[in-house]
Amino acid sequence: MDRFIIHKSSLHGTVEISGSKNACLPIMAATLLTDEECKIHNIPHLMDIITMVKILEVLGKQVRYERDTLIIKNRSKLNKVSFAAPYRLVRTMRASFCCLGPLLARKKKARVALPGGCVIGLRPVDLHIKGLKALGADLAVEKGYWVGRVKHLRGSHIYLGGPFGSSVLATANVLMAATLAEGQTLIEYAACEPEIEFLGKFLKKMGADIEGEGTPLIKIKGVKSLGGAECKVIPDRIEAGTFMAASLAAKSTIEIKGIDTSHLTPVVEVVKMMGGELKMQKGSCRLKSPSTLNPVNITTFPYPGFPTDLQAQFTACLCFAKGTSLITEKVYPDRFMHVAELNRMGASIQRSGPYAIIEGEEMLYGAEVMASDLRASAALVIAGLAAEGKTEVTRVYHIDRGYERIEEKLKKLGAKIKRESQ
Ligand code: EPZ
């Protein structure tokens, strides 16, 4: 397993943001809705994308890479084409669960492994199932798989709000299935994330009849079939926010290019409250960090609230602020695996349920720390860039799932970081 060796660094220069993992994955699943060729440009080269490619190949697709483009079409010789997404792949990446809706819509049957839980908390799929059942699918759990069958999907009025608000991938699953359902579907309390808006636009390019993508109310009129389409994946707002947190922690000035600033409003507000000076331009921003960070209170919410996927990174950053900060995690109340590791570096964070109280410290100290999930790993890298001494982050395969060559991008910014393979 690889590890990162990190020393205190100051950052400078420009970082280029990759295409969004969380935008790309549902689009790849959407290609199951058509037999025609689809092209997806600006894909990030990440483990999760590779896993989704493998799942699509099991499900009868031929996937070809052309640099930053995926070309996806049906395999000519469709021998035994499966409609089952296997556990060995699904357990490594929950997002594969969003193949369920397209498989039901296109193949009228589906068998997708129940995704396991993960360190950020229980990952239920009840809203996915509620929505797909409302469209007429018969779904039941058989030996660790959700197995679904349907004669005809029929449009329905579906309320998709759950105990933690909207659900991104449940919205994606139901939206994709509804495009081929008979009649009209209304999804109420739909997720508004930019990644859902982007999925809706891609489905419309395929011929779907959709209104309101990116808002809490999405109206879909079912069509007979969908064709192939092409798209360029939107920038990764979570990667952009991660580099903002890194720059603030390292008290540095950097330029971040290849972003969609309209997706970053909640993050920009927090960066400014922490004392960051941001110059926003079309497609890029320049962040000048203060010598002393202000403490802030952050509560995570579904979009357009502050993203839960940036909570760990900003928690790490606030360990260096002058004062006390409060983090309230409203999306995944258990998403605090990074806290124990940060405290081993000398941070003073007290966690109670969905709350974490951070007493800012003058300094943190390098240590050997263990990555536990994608965003917690990024938090440990950020802490290592600002801490005195050497930090070793182990199990960096977690980080490779969601960040494209993060150590290369950080090195280009002047960071003292190297990858050691074991
Ligand atoms: C997506 O996961 C993202 N993953 C996650 O990013 C992100 O943290 C999450 O949305 C929230 O923004 C991808 O897009 C691939 P949810 P998803 O359904 O769709 C509860 C990362 O780091 N819920 O929006 O699985 C759930 O427990 C990953 O890139 C139900 O109760 O998340 C959570 O509390 C981690 N029932 C809340 O809703 C359900 O059926 C939001 O989850 C589904 C979810």
Side-chain angles (χ1 to χ4, degrees):
M1 283 190 273
D2 292 1
R3 62 173 57 203
F4 284 157
I5 308 296
I6 307 167
H7 287 85
K8 187 174 167 62
S9 310
S10 80
L11 308 178
H12 50 271
T14 301
V15 62
E16 191 74 41
I17 297 303
S18 302
S20 161
K21 161 178 87 79
N22 291 354
C24 192
L25 294 169
I27 297 290
M28 292 172 75
T31 63
L32 293 166
L33 291 165
T34 180
D35 291 336
E36 294 178 13
E37 181 177 279
C38 293
K39 284 188 180 176
I40 307 172
H41 303 288
N42 192 34
I43 55 129
H45 294 278
L46 303 170
M47 281 315 294
D48 275 7
I49 303 298
I50 295 167
T51 303
M52 187 59 103
V53 166
K54 287 180 187 158
I55 289 170
L56 291 181
E57 286 170 340
V58 165
L59 296 174
K61 289 294 184 182
Q62 179 196 59
V63 186
R64 197 156 46 86
Y65 279 93
E66 262 180 22
R67 287 172 48 78
D68 296 345
T69 297
L70 280 183
I71 298 161
I72 303 172
K73 59 183 184 184
N74 276 7
R75 250 203 321 276
S76 42
K77 294 185 287 309
L78 284 189
N79 41 20
K80 191 175 89 43
V81 170
S82 158
F83 51 87
Y87 177 63
R88 63 183 165 78
L89 292 172
V90 172
R91 72 186 168 86
T92 65
M93 187 194 60
R94 300 179 28 76
S96 14
F97 201 68
C98 69
C99 293
L100 185 61
L103 284 173
L104 282 172
R106 192 87 185 79
K107 298 193 162 116
K108 310 290 183 230
K109 53 186 177 182
R111 193 163 169 274
V112 179
L114 242 178
C118 66
V119 289
I120 67 176
L122 272 178
R123 304 292 293 272
V125 292
D126 57 307
L127 296 174
H128 299 243
I129 302 306
K130 170 186 174 184
L132 294 171
K133 279 185 172 174
L135 292 175
D138 289 325
L139 285 152
V141 176
E142 290 170 21
K143 300 196 186 89
Y145 281 76
W146 272 104
V147 181
R149 286 175 191 79
V150 65
K151 281 204 179 42
H152 298 288
L153 288 173
R154 279 194 191 72
S156 174
H157 183 159
I158 304 162
Y159 178 80
L160 263 193
F164 298 94
S166 51
S167 163
V168 176
L169 290 181
T171 302
N173 245 332
V174 175
L175 172 60
M176 288 189 279
T179 58
L180 293 179
E182 270 168 43
Q184 174 171 287
T185 296
L186 275 180
I187 303 176
E188 214 174 326
Y189 211 153
C192 302
E193 271 69 7
E195 293 77 26
I196 291 295
E197 183 179 14
F198 180 64
L199 172 63
K201 292 194 177 343
F202 181 70
L203 291 167
K204 284 157 81 165
K205 282 186 179 178
M206 294 173 80
D209 182 343
I210 299 169
E211 282 173 41
E213 67 275 10
T215 76
L217 183 66
I218 305 179
K219 192 194 297 182
I220 306 111
K221 285 200 187 87
V223 295
K224 283 266 167 286
S225 66
L226 294 178
E230 202 164 337
C231 69
K232 181 174 186 256
V233 176
I234 56 172
D236 192 324
R237 60 194 170 97
I238 303 303
E239 185 190 22
T242 301
F243 278 99
M244 289 183 181
S247 173
L248 288 169
K251 309 255 177 9
S252 300
T253 297
I254 63 169
E255 189 174 5
I256 304 174
K257 288 180 84 172
I259 58 175
D260 182 331
T261 51
S262 69
H263 297 161
L264 287 163
T265 311
V267 190
V268 165
E269 286 310 300
V270 166
V271 169
K272 286 179 179 167
M273 288 194 294
M274 291 175 68
E277 280 173 44
L278 270 166
K279 206 157 152 282
M280 308 301 282
Q281 285 158 336
K282 187 160 173 28
S284 72
C285 71
R286 184 173 176 278
L287 169 54
K288 185 173 181 301
S289 308
S291 52
T292 307
L293 292 175
N294 303 324
V296 293
N297 295 339
I298 294 175
T299 300
T300 65
F301 286 109
Y303 193 88
F306 187 89
T308 175
D309 291 351
L310 283 171
Q311 180 263 108
Q313 299 91 313
F314 277 82
T315 296
C317 194
L318 287 165
C319 293
F320 299 90
K322 193 171 176 44
T324 305
S325 301
L326 172 66
I327 304 285
T328 305
E329 180 46 81
K330 288 261 187 189
V331 180
Y332 292 112
D334 292 330
R335 193 174 199 170
F336 290 109
M337 289 297 287
H338 44 291
V339 166
E341 296 303 297
L342 291 170
N343 285 343
R344 294 185 56 246
M345 297 176 72
S348 306
I349 309 173
Q350 286 178 60
R351 190 238 158 146
S352 171
Y355 306 104
I357 298 170
I358 308 164
E359 298 294 344
E361 294 294 336
E362 275 298 304
M363 191 39 71
L364 265 59
Y365 300 91
E368 184 170 338
V369 289
M370 187 172 76
S372 55
D373 70 275
L374 170 51
R375 309 303 176 182
S377 328
L380 299 178
V381 171
I382 288 169
L385 291 171
E388 277 305 338
K390 178 169 93 166
T391 298
E392 294 187 32
V393 181
T394 58
R395 302 190 180 190
V396 294
Y397 60 84
H398 287 294
I399 212 162
D400 293 334
R401 283 192 46 200
Y403 290 93
E404 188 173 5
R405 307 185 323 282
I406 194 166
E407 77 274 16
E408 297 307 321
K409 292 191 177 184
L410 283 167
K411 249 186 253 176
K412 257 182 80 181
L413 288 172
K416 297 187 187 88
I417 180 171
K418 68 177 175 163
R419 180 187 289 258
E420 263 182 16
S421 299
Q422 284 178 311

